[in-house]
Amino acid sequence: MTTLHHEHPLHEHTHGPACGHPAVDHGDHLDYAHDGHLHRAHSGHWDECEPEGHSTHADHDHTHGANCGHEAVPHGDHLDYLHDGHRHAPHEGHYDDH
């Protein structure tokens, strides 16, 4: 799965450990959940860090929800859940891996 490179314009907030936004491990970097999408630092600016394509998380027997014990992260029109170092997004009866 590749990640698209879309610069987030006019981003005046600096993300970091104390910024108040959830940090999400994403491969070789950290993303920060902010305003319903993910930001990553890139060459002195912030990029939108969104996966390209569809990757189903196979054999996921856990149901995410309000009391599942995993942090919910707003992402566009739905909630993703931080689970085992990646994001799970509900999609058509299964979870996608982000």
Side-chain angles (χ1 to χ4, degrees):
M1 174 179 7
T2 59
T3 302
L4 299 174
H5 178 129
H6 295 289
E7 187 171 337
H8 183 84
L10 305 174
H11 191 287
E12 298 174 8
H13 176 78
T14 300
H15 292 295
C19 76
H21 297 111
V24 180
D25 284 319
H26 193 198
D28 62 351
H29 64 276
L30 279 178
D31 290 338
Y32 290 90
H34 185 188
D35 294 337
H37 46 133
L38 298 175
H39 296 167
R40 75 176 281 187
H42 180 251
S43 299
H45 63 269
W46 294 94
D47 284 348
E48 305 288 343
C49 192
E50 299 298 336
E52 181 181 71
H54 178 95
S55 177
T56 300
H57 183 86
D59 301 322
H60 189 277
D61 58 1
H62 175 79
T63 301
H64 292 294
N67 296 312
C68 75
H70 297 107
E71 184 174 4
V73 177
H75 186 213
D77 63 354
H78 65 276
L79 291 174
D80 288 349
Y81 292 88
L82 304 182
H83 188 168
D84 295 336
H86 47 115
R87 294 181 296 143
H88 288 170
H91 181 251
E92 297 180 359
H94 63 271
Y95 289 97
D96 284 351
D97 223 353
H98 289 283

